[in-house]
Amino acid sequence: MSEEFDPRVIDKILDSYKCDPSSVISILQDIQDEYKYLPKGIFAQVSKAVGLSQSRIFSVATFYENFSLEPKGKYIIKICDGTACHVRKSIPILNRMKQELGLPESEHTTEDLLFTVETVSCLGACGLAPVITVNDKVFPTMTPDTSAQLLSDLKEGKVNA
């Protein structure tokens, strides 16, 4: 998977925050919005611009769970495993999706960078459990079969997410 990024895009983001070191989290969020992850090469550029060490910026990026140092897919699927979803069988949904996508236990993103499958502690939609989101679009009362159908529909472009 490529570690490519455009330094001009990073400069534009940095400029929008006036290279303010107190804006590091916002800067990293905007970079991740652009690339769907934080390419490792951006740390030197951000460090130089804001005047903080690379290790400090890296520690911010690794402290917060919402940042990713690994490329993510076009479709980011989050499977809720909070209490309500877990009780209503969210793990079989996770297992079925990983099986359908051919993802080994240790992997979250397909090689073609089409899908990333993650579990989250809570999506805040307990009354609709079990719930998944695809690029933040909510899909309620899922089952292993409906999740497999959703993957198929996404592959075929039948669902906008």
Side-chain angles (χ1 to χ4, degrees):
M1 293 184 207
S2 177
E3 280 282 323
E4 294 180 30
F5 67 95
D6 185 344
R8 295 170 298 185
V9 171
I10 308 305
D11 282 337
K12 186 176 177 183
I13 292 168
L14 287 162
D15 289 345
S16 73
Y17 292 97
K18 298 178 177 47
C19 298
D20 182 356
S22 68
S23 297
V24 166
I25 292 172
S26 298
I27 291 166
L28 294 176
Q29 286 173 324
D30 285 2
I31 294 169
Q32 183 161 290
D33 286 347
E34 181 70 30
Y35 295 101
K36 296 191 179 172
Y37 78 112
L38 297 173
K40 289 180 180 70
I42 61 103
F43 292 101
Q45 185 177 354
V46 172
S47 169
K48 184 176 179 184
V50 300
L52 296 173
S53 70
Q54 286 187 54
S55 63
R56 177 74 177 126
I57 296 166
F58 188 79
S59 70
V60 170
T62 55
F63 177 79
Y64 292 102
E65 196 173 297
N66 66 318
F67 290 125
S68 175
L69 300 178
E70 299 295 325
K72 292 195 176 196
K74 175 181 177 182
Y75 298 111
I76 300 172
I77 300 168
K78 295 180 181 178
I79 301 169
C80 183
D81 195 35
T83 303
C85 290
H86 186 82
V87 167
R88 293 186 179 148
K89 311 261 188 258
S90 60
I91 296 303
I93 295 167
L94 169 67
N95 293 339
R96 177 71 177 272
M97 290 188 115
K98 289 188 92 138
Q99 176 189 351
E100 293 285 327
L101 295 170
L103 280 172
E105 183 66 31
S106 62
E107 297 292 321
H108 299 285
T109 301
T110 57
E111 285 187 26
D112 62 4
L113 293 179
L114 194 56
F115 295 98
T116 296
V117 179
E118 307 172 324
T119 57
V120 294
S121 297
C122 185
L123 288 170
C126 302
L128 304 173
V131 174
I132 68 169
T133 61
V134 179
N135 296 347
D136 298 322
K137 182 177 179 180
V138 176
F139 292 86
T141 59
M142 297 299 288
T143 67
D145 289 341
T146 59
S147 67
Q149 184 61 54
L150 177 59
L151 287 175
S152 178
D153 290 348
L154 288 166
K155 288 177 187 175
E156 295 173 18
K158 293 180 180 178
V159 173
N160 290 328

